[in-house]
Structure formats: structure tokens, C-alpha cells
Amino acid sequence: MLPILRSRQLAQRCLTQNKRLLTPYSFATDRHGSMLNRASPPPIQVLLTESAGRGVFATRKIESGELIHTAKPVVSHPLLSSIDKVCYYCLKNTPKGSNFEAQKVLFCSEECREQAKGFYEVEKEADWSAFIAHCRTRSLKYPFLAKRLACMVISGVTSADSLNVFQPALLSPQIISQYPYLPKQNSVTNDISQMEEELDLLRCALEGSGMKTEHLSFLTIEWYTGVLSRIRINAFRIELAGGSSYEDLLTSAYASVESEASVGNAVYMLPSFYNHDCDPNTHIVWVENVDAKLKALRDIEKGEELRICYIDASMDHDARQNILSSGFGFKCSCPRCLSND
């Protein structure tokens, strides 16, 4: 466990800044998932660590199998391959031809269609064919999250700086170099050029729908690259496991993040503060829809840091180090990696 910084004032500033965003996402439950008290906060707190930025720590002993809290996404979007199979809002598996079908997307309920109304009213007026073709050709997924976020900003659902709380604050050359479709020999300048192309396609689609220029003033290359950098580091692959018991979910806690069950991607507030460990004590699961559930994999003592695994934990030491270094920008020094396991 990483030591906590003694400067509680700095940690408190961080928590105060994000208090409004953190509190709606969580509740405390017993190990069977029954709610203990609707007014009870989750048994965790966000503090600063010496070397890993923010971290999540237990405020009491947490039992193995306990549902620690749930979290709704800040922004989410289904994969192109799942667009006709899942709810366009909550990503729940939805039979095609649902009564709540709307044009080319599906909604699992009237509630979800109403929740999506803000951004979808903006989105459905635009012709996204060029943007989609660009992303499909290059096998891109994160620009769709940026597109939805832009529509949420325009509709007033969120603010243009809503992801600024996340790291990284700047788009570094290392992060740019991970842009998935670019050959390794391409320069950072060319990488930025590709993102400028995406931004142009995004703006053109919105402008073509009759959107006023003043409503699109936030769509700058600085905004777009900043949003992509934060999405790139903080997005989770949504892998639904509907119908499974929590006990079954725990047995598959170390399954690959490249599972075929993936239906979309999402960025969350509180789960993004969890640091990585190759032998985690906490796991994030999706049972029915995009709402994330954080569960304890083993008993966690009061004051212990809660950590999840960002990658496929079954890989060997060198493979894990390579992926974490190239994909997330850090060298893992968890006990398992230190023992060369």
C-alpha cells in the first residue's frame, strides 16, 4: 500500500473540488448486495498518495465479496458492433425491434430514452456518416465518447470542462503515440493532424445540422486533444455479465479486458481514482448495464488502499509491464511485479 501524504489540506482541496460529482454515485451494501442505509456513504475515501496521485482507501474493514459502491458514467457510448444490440443510453442488452426503438438506435425503456433526450436531440439532427466512416476505417472507439460529450455540452447536460478533473491534464507525446491507428514511424505532428481531421468531421456534422457557431465555440483542437487524452487513460471497456451471480463474477475477476462481452466504453468519476495492482483487492463489474459495481475480492482492512487491475492479470510479468508502460504511462511496482511473478 502506498503511503498517504501527510498534507491533508491538499487532499481536502481535491475532494472539495469534486464533492458534487462524487457523492451521487455511491451507496453502501452488505456482502450480498443489500442496501444497508440509503443515507450511508460508501466505506471509502479519496486521498493523495506519494507516487500515484489520488487513491481510494477503506474507512472501515470491507468483507470479501462486499459490494462497495456503484457508479454511473460521466459519458458512455456503445461500440459500433453493438449499436443494434444494446440500449443507446445504458448499454443494456436490448432485443432489436424494441418498442422504444428510435431511428437507428435502441433504447431499453422510456426512462433511458428520456435520460438520453438532451444529447440525442442534438445528435440525431446531424449526419454522422463521414465521422463514423473515419472511425470505422481506423478501428477507433474513443472519438465516439468525445462526440457524445460534445453533444452533451451543446445540450446543456454537462460543461465543456467536465473531464478536467481527470488526469492527464495535457496530451503528452507518449499518449499521442498510442493513438491506435497510426504507424509507429509517424510523427507527433501527424498524430495531431489526424485528430484535427476528426475534429473537423465532428464540427462539420454539427454545423450541417444548423447548429449556431456560438454553440460550437468550445470545439477547439485543445479541447478535443485534452478530452481524448483523458478518455484514453480513464475509459473502461464495458463487459456485461447479465444473469451471473456475484459469486460467479468473482471467479472470473481476472478475465481479459479484451473479452468478447465488451459492448461499449465509459468514463466514470470515482472508479477513475482507483489505482492499479496486478494482484488487486477490488474488481469492477457490469451486471446488466453501464452502471459499474465495485466489489471486494478479499477482506480489506481499514486504511488499506483499494486497487483494481487495469489489464489482463493472467499475463506474465514482462507482458504486463510492457502494456502498463506503453498504454498507461507507468511502471508497475506492486508486490507481484516486484517479486517478478
Side-chain angles (χ1 to χ4, degrees):
M1 182 175 68
L2 292 173
I4 303 171
L5 287 178
R6 295 184 180 277
S7 175
R8 297 263 176 165
Q9 287 183 333
L10 186 57
Q12 189 60 45
R13 284 203 301 272
C14 170
L15 292 174
T16 301
Q17 177 185 359
N18 302 308
K19 184 177 180 181
R20 180 179 65 83
L21 294 170
L22 293 178
T23 51
Y25 299 144
S26 13
F27 54 80
T29 64
D30 61 22
R31 65 181 301 165
H32 303 295
S34 300
M35 191 174 292
L36 296 175
N37 186 331
R38 288 185 180 273
S40 299
I44 55 176
Q45 59 181 334
V46 178
L47 296 172
L48 295 180
T49 66
E50 255 183 8
S51 59
R54 288 168 293 205
V56 179
F57 294 82
T59 57
R60 62 163 171 78
K61 182 174 180 178
I62 299 173
E63 295 183 10
S64 175
E66 182 175 340
L67 176 59
I68 303 164
H69 70 92
T70 63
K72 293 185 178 297
V74 177
V75 60
S76 63
H77 200 284
L79 297 177
L80 285 179
S81 59
S82 301
I83 207 80
D84 61 344
K85 302 180 183 70
V86 300
C87 177
Y88 200 54
Y89 181 74
C90 77
L91 307 191
K92 179 180 179 179
N93 286 322
T94 303
K96 195 170 183 179
S98 163
N99 292 332
F100 300 100
E101 186 173 353
Q103 295 185 7
K104 295 183 179 180
V105 300
L106 302 174
F107 293 104
C108 68
S109 66
E110 185 62 47
E111 180 183 0
C112 279
R113 186 161 62 178
E114 187 63 29
Q115 290 290 326
K117 190 174 182 179
F119 70 79
Y120 190 61
E121 287 297 315
V122 174
E123 186 176 324
K124 72 179 183 180
E125 297 300 321
D127 179 2
W128 297 102
S129 56
F131 184 85
I132 291 172
H134 171 91
C135 295
R136 178 180 282 120
T137 300
R138 296 161 176 80
S139 300
L140 299 178
K141 52 189 178 181
Y142 299 132
F144 288 102
L145 289 170
K147 178 205 73 171
R148 176 163 291 186
L149 184 66
C151 292
M152 291 169 66
V153 173
I154 293 168
S155 67
V157 173
T158 191
S159 62
D161 62 356
S162 58
L163 297 191
N164 286 5
V165 66
F166 297 111
Q167 296 295 328
L170 297 174
L171 191 68
S172 68
Q174 289 79 11
I175 292 172
I176 293 175
S177 69
Q178 294 307 309
Y179 217 54
Y181 62 82
L182 296 170
K184 292 183 179 179
Q185 68 267 24
N186 276 30
S187 66
V188 170
T189 300
N190 288 336
D191 295 350
I192 292 293
S193 177
Q194 292 286 353
M195 284 183 274
E196 288 177 336
E197 180 182 353
E198 285 167 21
L199 178 59
D200 285 343
L201 291 171
L202 176 60
R203 286 186 65 94
C204 285
L206 292 168
E207 288 172 348
S209 69
M211 192 64 58
K212 294 181 179 180
T213 303
E214 57 264 30
H215 294 152
L216 306 178
S217 60
F218 70 94
L219 286 176
T220 64
I221 189 61
E222 291 78 16
W223 180 85
Y224 191 73
T225 55
V227 162
L228 278 183
S229 68
R230 292 177 173 93
I231 289 174
R232 170 72 176 80
I233 295 298
N234 295 286
F236 288 85
R237 289 173 58 91
I238 310 305
E239 300 168 8
L240 299 182
S244 298
S245 68
Y246 284 128
E247 288 72 18
D248 291 338
L249 290 171
L250 289 175
T251 64
S252 61
Y254 296 97
S256 169
V257 295
E258 298 299 328
S259 166
E260 291 181 359
S262 178
V263 296
N265 297 279
V267 175
Y268 301 86
M269 185 61 64
L270 191 50
S272 292
F273 296 155
Y274 281 72
N275 288 315
H276 166 82
D277 197 300
C278 293
D279 185 20
N281 56 16
T282 307
H283 184 49
I284 182 169
V285 295
W286 296 268
V287 177
E288 185 178 21
N289 56 31
V290 74
D291 291 352
K293 299 180 184 297
L294 278 294
K295 292 184 64 68
L297 287 170
R298 55 177 177 267
D299 288 348
I300 300 170
E301 299 301 319
K302 179 179 180 179
E304 184 178 350
E305 184 175 4
L306 283 71
R307 293 193 164 206
I308 60 177
C309 187
Y310 294 173
I311 58 173
D312 180 0
S314 68
M315 294 186 293
D316 63 31
H317 173 270
D318 291 344
R320 297 197 313 272
Q321 287 289 343
N322 181 57
I323 291 177
L324 290 169
S325 176
S326 62
F328 295 90
F330 68 88
K331 179 179 180 180
C332 184
S333 57
C334 71
R336 184 181 171 193
C337 284
L338 291 176
S339 66
N340 206 35
D341 179 8

